[in-house]
Amino acid sequence: MPVEVTWWGHATCTVEDSDVRVLTDPLFARRLAHLRRRRGAPPAPDARRADVALVSHLHADHLHVPSLAELAAGTRLLVPRGAPRAVPGLRRLAHLRVTEVAPGDVVPVGGLLVRAVSARHDGRRLPLGPHRAPALGYVVEGEARTYFAGDTGLFDSMAEEVGPVDVALLPVGGWGPRLGEGHLDAGRAAEALARLAARSAVPVHYGTYWPIGMDAVRPHEFHAPGDEFVRLAALRAPGVAVHRLRHGESVRLEVAR
């Protein structure tokens, strides 16, 4: 049975596996604080439909309360442990079934198992206070094993804790002219791909949002990461099929078992 991945932009994807729809880090806004969506229309209404939504960490471009409010009543929402305490707006989303998770936790959703894994990234809700929750990735196990990395840098236990996987959804860029600590750029994402022994990959977290007024500042950092990841993945992990999707585009992946 094929697994289908749709990239809506930034870190927002839909993964359809075993008749279950999984939505990652929902972000539907045209503008977020100082960021403007520069490429790709906001996700279609169908993007709001999911059986479970996964939130990787508390940064506002990954845990966006107004976007989560658009999800249908009864949608399961997995968030890092401590998130409702750190982000009071989450507690107002009474129409969602919120579950807090930490690395190692496994949550069944229909025919899937969703496993929270570690990420190397600052988990604070910047700049709104001292409360912390762990930054996470997720491995979705059904017909395929699909890894959604959220935001992360490389970490020593990545291969052991996450891999091997069939599909890797890996961040390859960001939303500004520089990437800080705890991120993957195209080169580090290609290295992650080699460590994970993945069969297929989709680059995410690039080419969508950019700071207002900075269109001319290092524009290659906005446009180039997807193509650069394709190039470097061919060198570092030549057996992996990389699918660089356009916004709103889907790919169906046959999984051999």
Side-chain angles (χ1 to χ4, degrees), residues 2-9 12-16 21-23 43-44 46-47 49 167 169 201-204 242-254:
V3 172
E4 185 167 288
V5 176
T6 304
W7 182 50
W8 301 108
T12 307
C13 297
T14 295
V15 178
E16 298 186 62
R21 285 175 62 98
V22 180
L23 182 64
D46 187 56
R49 182 169 61 87
V167 184
L169 311 179
V202 175
V204 303
V242 178
H243 304 272
R244 189 181 69 79
L245 303 179
R246 296 185 297 273
H247 292 80
E249 187 175 15
S250 302
V251 60
R252 293 171 65 86
L253 303 169
E254 295 290 340

Side-chain angles (χ1 to χ4, degrees), residues 55-211:
V55 169
S56 63
H57 63 287
L58 304 192
H59 293 173
D61 57 324
H62 293 259
L63 195 170
H64 187 244
V65 173
S67 294
L68 296 175
E70 296 183 32
L71 301 179
T75 301
R76 190 77 173 269
L77 177 65
L78 305 190
V79 300
R81 186 170 296 166
R85 178 170 60 94
V87 185
L90 272 176
R91 301 198 291 268
R92 295 193 292 270
L93 301 179
H95 67 298
L96 303 179
R97 296 185 295 144
V98 179
T99 301
E100 299 179 53
V101 294
D105 289 346
V106 178
V107 179
V109 182
L112 302 180
L113 294 176
V114 181
R115 177 166 55 92
V117 298
S118 301
R120 184 188 176 195
H121 191 69
D122 187 338
R124 289 179 295 171
R125 181 70 164 183
L126 297 173
L128 302 178
H131 298 304
R132 297 183 65 87
L136 303 174
Y138 294 92
V139 178
V140 178
E141 301 186 32
E143 293 290 331
R145 287 168 50 89
T146 300
Y147 172 46
F148 168 61
D151 256 353
T152 188
L154 293 168
F155 54 96
D156 291 341
S157 64
M158 177 179 277
E160 178 182 357
E161 189 173 348
V162 176
V165 297
D166 298 296
V167 184
L169 311 179
L170 294 177
V172 300
W175 50 254
R178 290 181 178 82
L179 280 175
E181 179 70 15
H183 291 86
L184 297 178
D185 60 11
R188 292 190 290 271
E191 172 61 25
L193 199 57
R195 296 186 187 188
L196 294 169
R199 299 180 180 181
S200 300
V202 175
V204 303
H205 204 275
Y206 77 101
T208 307
Y209 292 93
W210 204 248

Side-chain angles (χ1 to χ4, degrees), residues 214-228:
M214 295 186 67
D215 290 9
V217 178
R218 296 174 64 87
H220 62 284
E221 297 289 355
F222 179 84
H223 294 285
D227 288 335
E228 184 69 356

